[in-house]
Amino acid sequence: MMGCEKVGTRERILETAIDLFAMKGFNDVSIREITKAVGIKESSLYNHFASKQQMLDEIFEYLSKQFESRSVSEEEAVRHIEGLNPTEFMEMCLMNFNMYFGEPKLMKIWRILSIERFRNERANDFFTKQLIDTPLTYQSAVFEAMMKKGLIKEGDPKALARAFYSFMLFIYLRYFEVGHQDNPAANEELREMLKAHINFFTGAIAKYIL
Amino acid sequence: MMGCEKVGTRERILETAIDLFAMKGFNDVSIREITKAVGIKESSLYNHFASKQQMLDEIFEYLSKQFESRSVSEEEAVRHIEGLNPTEFMEMCLMNFNMYFGEPKLMKIWRILSIERFRNERANDFFTKQLIDTPLTYQSAVFEAMMKKGLIKEGDPKALARAFYSFMLFIYLRYFEVGHQDNPAANEELREMLKAHINFFTGAIAKYIL
DNA sequence: GTCTATACTTCGATAGAC
DNA sequence: GTCTATCGAAGTATAGAC
């Protein structure tokens, strides 16, 4: 009788699971809790997913595919960034932040990863690679190219990348990882902090006034 | 018959709980698991602790008291740091790192906090305050004092503190928060990274060659 | 203070009617 | 594809003998 909307039940389950996992973590959310929120019985869920674990796997798979589809080569990254002035560079940083955390669904999955990485080695590897190591590699390549072109002072590009990018991790750790914020008022404050950060770096590494 | 060592059972339980909670998180460790590791029956544990939650509360209480006993005022911090040369300053940073994470027991409790802060608002508040906000305040006060004395370039001390201290959070997030490391070989690498970081900052903010 | 035994709850998952 | 009903396992915690 109510089965007229059978299309979408699977997706509704998955969206609900993402919401709940992001709030409480995979282990602290029960099948009963998910199905109650969706409005179905526990047993019905198993017509769509073989196990609770499979739901988590699909969620991580989704994030992984998002990154595959959006990834660019280091060469492209260098070409895009090395010629920018400070203001344009800041906008680029904000865009990157938005690519990672701008969409609520992706943000929630990052939170799930942040929680699961303590229990799951694969989750930790993905988290470390995508959120830390890969961005550092790109950032280092960009700084190295800028040094070779004489745009910024000579130095250790890896150390410079760590110093610059650490701030992004600080923002994530302090304002994004634990989900009690979601207030748009803080956005302007974050933007000001990023501006101040880039101002500092511009002054610190500029060979000439950019 | 074996009751000859009744002194210490409570402490053994607590130490075992810290070990297990740090590895798997509070919720993923059962009373059965703890008591089995200690070598007692489940019911015996309740002669020492009223509940599982009380054990966690005591663990956090312990960390909290450690910080109370070691805390110094901002004025003291400024006096200690503002006159240091870069090498001395680096040693100071390493000492601070060791104060937070040098003792295995404290390191484990930080890991428990890292996990619990997603489920427990008080844990998150403590984590945020002790690991991020308070150190940033101190660091900012130090930079502000150095600016006033003309030791470093004028600028926004808060932004400078964020830029400098973010690196410490990067190290924690990347190498300490998830406990799969514990290899002393990486220590030298971390020391090199810290040295490079301080070198970069020294060059960036020094008014004169220090 | 430790033991045996057990109460009570919640969990993930399954069987089978419709 | 959803339901009712239920299973077996694992969780926290308690009662009472020793």
Side-chain angles (χ1 to χ4, degrees), chain B:
Chain B
M1 211 177 192
M2 297 290 284
C4 54
E5 43 177 22
K6 60 182 169 182
V7 174
T9 300
R10 193 176 198 279
E11 281 67 27
R12 276 163 55 220
I13 294 173
L14 216 45
E15 295 299 318
T16 305
I18 289 173
D19 282 344
L20 293 172
F21 291 162
M23 286 193 288
K24 307 167 64 176
F26 177 72
N27 268 12
D28 285 12
V29 176
S30 68
I31 298 286
R32 292 191 221 285
E33 205 172 347
I34 297 171
T35 54
K36 188 177 178 183
V38 173
I40 58 174
K41 296 296 172 183
E42 296 102 273
S43 55
S44 300
L45 183 141
Y46 290 93
N47 278 315
H48 302 284
F49 299 94
S51 68
K52 192 187 173 191
Q53 182 61 42
Q54 194 205 325
M55 299 174 65
L56 187 63
D57 292 341
E58 283 204 26
I59 290 169
F60 288 158
E61 190 62 29
Y62 173 82
L63 184 66
S64 191
K65 280 187 181 161
Q66 291 290 315
F67 273 90
E68 283 174 26
S69 67
R70 301 181 188 195
S71 71
V72 294
S73 69
E74 279 184 33
E75 290 79 18
E76 285 178 288
V78 168
R79 262 188 285 115
H80 276 124
I81 298 175
E82 64 179 345
L84 301 179
N85 68 39
T87 304
E88 292 167 337
F89 184 64
M90 189 185 83
E91 291 302 326
M92 184 71 160
C93 290
L94 278 171
M95 271 181 55
N96 258 317
F97 228 103
N98 283 335
M99 188 186 110
Y100 275 68
F101 308 121
E103 297 174 30
K105 188 171 177 178
L106 294 187
M107 179 72 245
K108 287 169 191 166
I109 300 177
W110 276 114
R111 282 191 202 147
I112 299 172
L113 266 171
S114 290
I115 301 172
E116 285 308 301
R117 77 191 189 101
F118 293 99
R119 303 190 316 111
N120 182 328
E121 194 172 355
R122 279 185 53 237
N124 185 48
D125 289 344
F126 185 86
F127 180 92
T128 304
K129 184 185 167 205
Q130 294 293 344
L131 200 66
I132 306 180
D133 291 350
T134 299
L136 273 181
T137 304
Y138 276 58
Q139 196 68 61
S140 180
V142 170
F143 285 143
E144 193 174 4
M146 292 170 86
M147 286 175 187
K148 281 187 181 155
K149 290 208 177 181
L151 293 171
I152 61 175
K153 288 181 191 166
E154 289 287 324
D156 179 352
K158 287 194 178 106
L160 185 55
R162 284 193 298 265
F164 181 78
Y165 186 69
S166 287
F167 176 82
M168 311 302 168
L169 294 176
F170 155 69
I171 295 295
Y172 179 70
L173 192 68
R174 177 65 180 80
Y175 298 100
F176 283 77
E177 195 171 44
V178 174
H180 303 300
Q181 69 293 337
D182 294 323
N183 64 329
N187 276 1
E188 192 51 39
E189 194 186 335
L190 290 182
R191 208 185 163 85
E192 282 304 312
M193 286 198 288
L194 180 60
K195 197 172 163 186
H197 183 68
I198 293 179
N199 274 346
F200 166 71
F201 263 79
T202 303
I205 67 180
K207 203 168 183 178
Y208 317 104
I209 303 298
L210 292 178

Side-chain angles (χ1 to χ4, degrees), chain A residues 183-207:
Chain A
N183 63 329
N187 276 2
E188 192 52 38
E189 193 185 338
L190 290 182
R191 208 185 164 84
E192 282 303 313
M193 285 199 288
L194 180 60
K195 198 172 163 184
H197 184 67
I198 292 179
N199 274 346
F200 166 71
F201 263 79
T202 304
I205 67 181
K207 202 166 182 178

Side-chain angles (χ1 to χ4, degrees), chain A residues 117-147:
Chain A
R117 77 191 188 100
F118 294 98
R119 304 191 314 114
N120 182 329
E121 195 172 355
R122 280 186 51 237
N124 186 47
D125 290 345
F126 185 86
F127 180 92
T128 304
K129 185 184 166 206
Q130 294 293 344
L131 200 65
I132 305 181
D133 291 350
T134 300
L136 273 180
T137 304
Y138 276 59
Q139 196 69 61
S140 180
V142 169
F143 285 143
E144 192 173 6
M146 292 170 85
M147 286 175 187

Side-chain angles (χ1 to χ4, degrees), chain A residues 61-125:
Chain A
E61 189 62 29
Y62 173 81
L63 184 66
S64 191
K65 280 188 179 160
Q66 291 289 315
F67 273 88
E68 283 173 27
S69 67
R70 302 180 188 195
S71 72
V72 295
S73 70
E74 280 185 32
E75 291 78 19
E76 285 178 288
V78 169
R79 262 188 286 114
H80 277 123
I81 299 176
E82 63 178 348
L84 302 178
N85 67 39
T87 305
E88 290 166 339
F89 183 65
M90 187 185 84
E91 291 302 326
M92 185 71 159
C93 291
L94 278 172
M95 271 179 55
N96 259 317
F97 228 103
N98 284 334
M99 188 187 111
Y100 275 67
F101 308 122
E103 297 174 31
K105 188 172 177 177
L106 294 187
M107 180 71 245
K108 287 169 191 165
I109 300 178
W110 276 114
R111 282 191 202 149
I112 299 172
L113 267 170
S114 290
I115 301 172
E116 285 309 300
R117 77 191 188 100
F118 294 98
R119 304 191 314 114
N120 182 329
E121 195 172 355
R122 280 186 51 237
N124 186 47
D125 290 345

